[in-house]
Amino acid sequence: MKRVLTYGTFDLLHHGHIRILRRAREMGDYLVVAVSTDEFNAGKGKKSYMDYATRAEIVAAIRYVDKVIPERSWEQKVEDIVDNDIDIVVMGDDWADSDRFDYLRDYCELVFLPRTEGVSTTEIKEDLRREGKLLD
Ligand code: C2G
């Protein structure tokens, strides 16, 4: 039984999120998703439309997701891997050129999956801000 872990905010859920969760789950038999808390995002200068409890509720309802945990800090990853008996950590490939998660390879496999082109929470927000889209 292979256990997979991934991280993210998952605000205004879209098909890019669904696809990475599906592919992450297909890499194993059990998928844990660490959803960023509002406090963690605030520390990164990010503010989501939906609060943590709502985003966690939505992610937990996705059929590929077996368990949701809170992502409260950058430093918790080793603890998450050990506590949840994780074999593979999956990240979107926006991180692939960075070596900041290399230390995780001492604990599990680290896999970067390509992002879905043409959609992001930021783009959705920008589109909705444009008057035309709001009047549709
Ligand atoms: N994603 C994707 N395709 C998109 C948009 C997002 O595959 N078009 C992936 C991201 O690569 C990420 C996941 O969906 O793996 C969640 O995306 P975000 O909510 O934007 O995640 P982010 O806030 O970047 O959090 O420690 C890791 C960070 O918390 C990642």
Side-chain angles (χ1 to χ4, degrees), residues 63-132:
R63 69 163 77 162
Y64 315 116
V65 177
D66 296 290
K67 182 182 177 186
V68 171
I69 60 172
E71 181 189 35
R72 295 195 170 93
S73 76
W74 290 106
E75 294 80 30
Q76 73 184 57
K77 291 194 172 61
V78 170
E79 202 179 313
D80 294 342
I81 291 165
V82 173
D83 286 355
N84 292 284
D85 205 8
I86 295 302
D87 301 285
I88 308 170
V89 167
V90 168
M91 310 283 269
D93 67 357
D94 28 334
W95 295 103
D97 294 334
S98 139
D99 57 7
R100 88 179 275 172
F101 300 113
D102 276 357
Y103 70 99
L104 298 178
R105 296 184 200 275
D106 290 343
Y107 301 89
C108 66
E109 208 181 315
L110 178 62
V111 174
F112 296 99
L113 290 178
R115 288 169 61 94
T116 301
E117 296 291 323
V119 62
S120 70
T121 300
T122 308
E123 273 174 72
I124 292 172
K125 285 183 181 168
E126 281 168 7
D127 280 355
L128 290 174
R129 241 177 246 130
R130 284 187 206 112
E131 204 181 345

Side-chain angles (χ1 to χ4, degrees), residues 8-10 14 20 36 44 46 71 77 92 94 115-116 119:
T9 301
F10 301 98
H14 56 67
I20 201 156
S36 308
K44 292 200 256 181
K46 276 172 69 167
E71 181 189 35
K77 291 194 172 61
D94 28 334
R115 288 169 61 94
T116 301
V119 62

Side-chain angles (χ1 to χ4, degrees), residues 4-57:
V4 185
L5 168 65
T6 195
Y7 292 84
T9 301
F10 301 98
D11 189 27
L12 299 173
L13 198 86
H14 56 67
H15 57 286
H17 296 140
I18 294 294
R19 287 178 190 171
I20 201 156
L21 293 173
R22 186 180 66 231
R23 286 178 295 161
R25 180 62 172 72
E26 282 169 358
M27 300 195 69
D29 313 286
Y30 190 90
L31 177 62
V32 180
V33 182
V35 175
S36 308
T37 61
D38 300 324
E39 294 75 17
F40 180 56
N41 279 337
K44 292 200 256 181
K46 276 172 69 167
K47 187 164 170 21
S48 57
Y49 177 74
M50 295 163 169
D51 65 11
Y52 169 77
T54 307
R55 289 180 286 109
E57 179 183 343

